[in-house]
């Protein structure tokens, strides 16, 4: 690919969507989704032959390497996941031991993929995650207020205090209509919680 062509390649620039905030993340819009009987399937359990689980949403609460293709090859990923009822945005990691630039990159990638899928006509629920308190500067950006959002409880039990601090920051910043919660929530978690069993999301009969 010649330099000029590469310089103008949409997948290099990724500037096709409206942005918001200091870091210019693509905006994830509020979308309607019926919340009765919500079920999820892990992206790693998705199969091209699957016809039994299409009423479910796809979640990405698994190791990052399993869904890097959502950002690197978005069209291929959409073909793989787009037949399901709705999609959560990818949960690129925000580990506290990451330097800020890596966490910011993770948020930007997740927002871009969500905006890309919404632009393709899919229902996309933004996944929200956070690291240490310094991540609050960017980790809630570019999600339209009163969205339905999704969070994962996997790995959060070890640091309840920090998790709850971030959770209440999220409620304050986004004011979500509902929170799809994969895994058992803490008793202290307020809001309109829609709890989904994590183990059932991983035990899929193909």
């Amino acid at each position: 690919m010649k330099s000029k062509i590469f310089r103008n390649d949409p997948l290099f620039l990724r500037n096709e969507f409206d942005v918001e905030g200091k870091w210019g993340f693509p905006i994830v819009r509020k979308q309607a989704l019926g919340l009765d009987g919500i079920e999820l399937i892990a992206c790693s359990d998705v199969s091209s032959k699957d016809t039994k689980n299409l009423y479910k949403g796809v979640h990405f609460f698994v190791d990052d390497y399993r869904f890097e293709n959502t950002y690197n090859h978005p069209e291929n990923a959409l073909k793989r996941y787009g037949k399901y009822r709705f999609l959560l945005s990818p949960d690129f990691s925000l580990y506290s031991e990451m330097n800020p630039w890596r966490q910011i990159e993770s948020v930007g990638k997740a927002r871009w993929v969500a905006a890309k899928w919404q632009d393709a006509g899919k229902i996309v629920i933004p996944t929200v995650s956070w690291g240490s308190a310094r991540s609050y500067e960017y980790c809630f950006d570019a999600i339209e207020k009163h969205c339905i959002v999704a969070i994962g409880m996997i790995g959060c039990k070890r640091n309840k205090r920090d998790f709850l601090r971030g959770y209440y920051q999220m409620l304050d910043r986004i004011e979500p209509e509902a929170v799809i919660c994969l895994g058992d929530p803490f008793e202290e978690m307020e809001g309109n919680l829609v709890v989904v069993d994590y183990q059932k999301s991983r035990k899929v009969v193909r």
Side-chain angles (χ1 to χ4, degrees), residues 74-182:
E75 299 296 341
N76 291 342
L78 192 58
K79 289 178 183 178
R80 180 171 176 78
Y81 306 123
K83 63 182 180 179
Y84 291 87
R85 178 186 171 201
F86 65 96
L87 307 170
L88 305 190
S89 62
D91 182 44
F92 291 105
S93 295
L94 269 73
Y95 295 127
S96 297
E97 56 268 34
M98 285 177 167
N99 285 324
W101 73 267
R102 279 288 289 114
Q103 295 191 38
I104 293 166
E105 179 185 49
S106 288
V107 175
K109 288 165 64 175
R111 299 291 190 273
W112 184 88
V113 172
K116 179 75 170 177
W117 287 347
Q118 287 189 339
D119 188 60
K122 303 303 177 183
I123 297 175
V124 183
I125 303 303
T127 297
V128 186
S129 56
W130 49 90
S132 63
R134 65 182 180 180
S135 72
Y136 301 167
E137 182 182 353
Y138 46 83
C139 67
F140 308 120
D141 283 2
I143 295 175
E144 193 170 16
K145 273 203 169 188
H146 311 302
C147 267
I148 300 169
V149 301
I151 63 170
M153 299 301 299
I154 294 75
C156 298
K157 306 295 185 180
R158 295 189 297 269
N159 203 334
K160 178 179 178 179
R161 185 185 65 177
D162 286 348
F163 176 84
L164 289 175
R165 185 183 297 125
Y167 179 77
Y168 280 101
Q169 284 285 329
M170 184 268 291
L171 291 184
D172 184 62
R173 291 279 296 275
I174 301 174
E175 300 177 14
E177 173 188 335
V179 180
I180 297 174
C181 180
L182 187 62

Side-chain angles (χ1 to χ4, degrees), residues 17-18 29-30 54 60 81 104 159:
F17 305 118
D18 292 338
R29 304 293 183 185
K30 178 181 178 180
L54 303 186
F60 297 85
Y81 306 123
I104 293 166
N159 203 334

